[in-house]
Amino acid sequence: MTDTHHAHRHEHHHDHPRERHPEEAAAGTPSEYWDARYRRSERIWSGAPNAALVRESADLVPGSALDLGCGEGADAVWLARQGWRVTGVDISEVALGRAAEHAREAGVAERIEWRLQDLADGLPDGGHQLVSAHFLHSEVELPRERILRGAAEAVAPGGVLLVVGHTGVPHWSAQPERAVALPGPDEVLAALDLPAGDWETLRKEETERTGTDPEGRPMVWVDSVLKLRRLR
């Protein structure tokens, strides 16, 4: 959206700060920025689902899922393959076109609804068994905390909210033009300001995974993982 609008790279396009391409820098709105970002290549992300989503949804019964900042659609397609009915939301029309093609190639197009929407303007209707927000970070304006509070409201009783994000800027990233929120799981939970007794914390931790930097050198990524179940 991901970012107003995340070994393999993240599917979501809300990524670490880096030097902007001139076309992106000239974009007037967040949607123009992300469309320009995607047009730079035929595909930005790996096409594989985020590892945390695969791990943390393994114990869930498929139902209705909402994927916030769905990017090129790998998470939504993977969920649909597991039997979920998915709504994928992103601010980039370019990204959603690729996501829809991915779903058609995977044979799950009928299980996914794609929505072009700026999450700063609101979220789709709630009542989902899973609401997923992976790497919802941005170099352009993004009311992240407000969006995540809306994400919590979109979870049905008994459903799960899964928020995964970066917790630090890697050594190779350029300094962003504006502050990019990279909170840890305790900060994310505090910012949600959830009603006491309404939620159960299933996982709240920082996890490490190995990968490579743009030069191909090994590095360790640190992610914040927050998984909550709505009790009522």
Side-chain angles (χ1 to χ4, degrees), residues 184-196:
D186 290 305
E187 295 172 273
V188 175
L189 181 58
L192 287 172
D193 193 25
L194 299 170

Side-chain angles (χ1 to χ4, degrees), residues 1-5 13-14 30-39 44-45 69-73 88-100 114-119:
M1 170 195 95
T2 265
D3 301 13
T4 314
H5 61 283
H13 63 272
H14 316 299
S31 60
E32 291 171 346
Y33 170 84
W34 285 111
D35 279 344
R37 173 84 167 92
Y38 277 101
R39 288 192 186 102
I44 298 291
W45 311 120
C70 63
E72 292 169 325
V89 185
D90 204 278
I91 195 170
S92 171
E93 186 173 9
V94 176
L96 288 178
R98 296 176 185 177
W114 305 107
R115 292 199 185 184
L116 179 64
Q117 187 169 337
D118 184 343
L119 296 180

Side-chain angles (χ1 to χ4, degrees), residues 52-61 84 129-134 155 158-165 185-186 188-189 192 194 199-205 224-230:
L53 174 70
V54 174
R55 181 181 66 246
E56 300 301 335
S57 64
D59 62 342
L60 304 181
V61 177
W84 293 82
Q129 283 71 51
L130 172 64
V131 177
S132 173
H134 277 68
V155 179
V160 166
L161 173 65
L162 178 62
V163 180
V164 179
D186 290 305
V188 175
L189 181 58
L192 287 172
L194 299 170
W199 293 80
E200 174 189 9
T201 300
L202 302 177
R203 188 179 305 277
K204 181 170 62 73
E205 64 184 19
S224 162
V225 179
L226 181 64
K227 182 181 180 182
L228 307 172
R229 185 182 305 280
R230 187 170 189 169

Side-chain angles (χ1 to χ4, degrees), residues 3-5 20 29-30 33-34 137-142 178:
D3 301 13
T4 314
H5 61 283
R20 289 193 189 184
T29 66
Y33 170 84
W34 285 111
H137 311 296
S138 182
E139 296 177 35
V140 292
E141 183 179 357
L142 174 72
R178 60 183 298 140

Side-chain angles (χ1 to χ4, degrees), residues 67-102:
D67 183 10
L68 301 178
C70 63
E72 292 169 325
D75 281 0
V77 168
W78 185 84
L79 286 168
R81 281 173 163 163
Q82 311 312 307
W84 293 82
R85 301 182 312 278
V86 187
T87 300
V89 185
D90 204 278
I91 195 170
S92 171
E93 186 173 9
V94 176
L96 288 178
R98 296 176 185 177
E101 179 61 25
H102 187 177

